[in-house]
Every structure is written in structure tokens, then in C-alpha cells.
Amino acid sequence: MPGPEKAAGALRTIGELAQEIGRPQHILRYWETRFPQLRPLTRAGNRRYYRPEDVALVRRIHDLLSNQGYTIRGVQKLLTAEKGSRTARAAAGTAAAGSEDKPGLKAVRDSLAQALDDDS
């Protein structure tokens, strides 16, 4: 019997998150070794607590792997490419959003195409 719903900003345990996405806990621990972006808080006894941004990342990784057919390596490349494009936009300053989005989207599209070629 599930407990009461948590607030949107509440921390989630590994058990709660695993149940929410329908994967075993060991899969989430494995993803932590494969995706450096996924770093939940750890407390005494190595208990993991996932922040809202960690929960969103886990849901995204799960969707990419389960529903969109990506491999672990493909998701790694995608997340790395997105991090690079965000860093480049931040370094470029706060220019108008419309002029910055198109080159960033093109870079992501090109990196996705390259990742698909590499996986073939």
C-alpha cells in the first residue's frame, strides 16, 4: 500500500524512485556509475536521497533507454553534448534567446547523428 504523496520538491529515497520508474534499485546505483551528472545526496550508511533535479534526470535516462531505444553509451553522449552546449551558451553571455537557440540545437542534432552513426 503506497504512502502519502510527497511534495514536488521533496527528496526521494532510492526505493521510492525505483518504484516510481518501475526499475530495481540496483539499476539506479548502476546508472550512478555510468552517468556523472547523476549524483544524489548520500547520508549516513550511504543512503541515497534524490533531489528534484536528480529525479528529473533519472526519469529522462529511463525514457531514453526504455522508450526511445538509446543505449547507455548513446545516452552518455547525448547528456555530454547537452552539457557542452549549455556551457558554450553560458560562456557566450546573455545574448538574445532566439539567436542562441538555433546554433545550440544544430550542435545537439549533429552530436545525436554522430552518436547514432557510432552505435551502428
Side-chain angles (χ1 to χ4, degrees):
M1 171 168 122
E5 289 292 318
K6 285 193 167 185
L11 298 177
R12 294 207 175 11
T13 65
I14 191 169
E16 292 168 339
L17 187 54
Q19 184 177 10
E20 182 180 318
I21 66 167
R23 294 275 185 139
Q25 294 177 21
H26 72 271
I27 296 295
L28 295 177
R29 288 189 290 271
Y30 172 72
W31 287 352
E32 289 174 27
T33 67
R34 296 289 156 220
F35 303 104
Q37 301 88 343
L38 182 57
R39 290 288 167 238
L41 298 172
T42 52
R43 298 287 188 230
N46 272 342
R47 292 187 186 153
R48 291 166 170 82
Y49 292 97
Y50 292 84
R51 297 170 290 237
E53 57 270 17
D54 297 322
V55 171
L57 180 59
V58 165
R59 287 179 184 152
R60 180 144 189 255
I61 291 169
H62 178 349
D63 179 59
L64 291 168
L65 292 171
S66 300
N67 301 330
Q68 298 188 29
Y70 277 83
T71 62
I72 293 283
R73 186 174 202 130
V75 175
Q76 288 170 334
K77 288 181 179 183
L78 175 67
L79 294 176
T80 301
E82 288 175 351
K83 180 182 177 190
S85 68
R86 277 195 305 262
T87 304
R89 281 197 306 263
T94 55
S99 64
E100 287 295 315
D101 284 344
K102 291 179 185 174
L105 291 175
K106 185 176 183 322
V108 170
R109 185 193 69 209
D110 293 343
S111 67
L112 287 173
Q114 182 63 41
L116 287 172
D117 289 340
D118 292 347
D119 281 344
S120 299

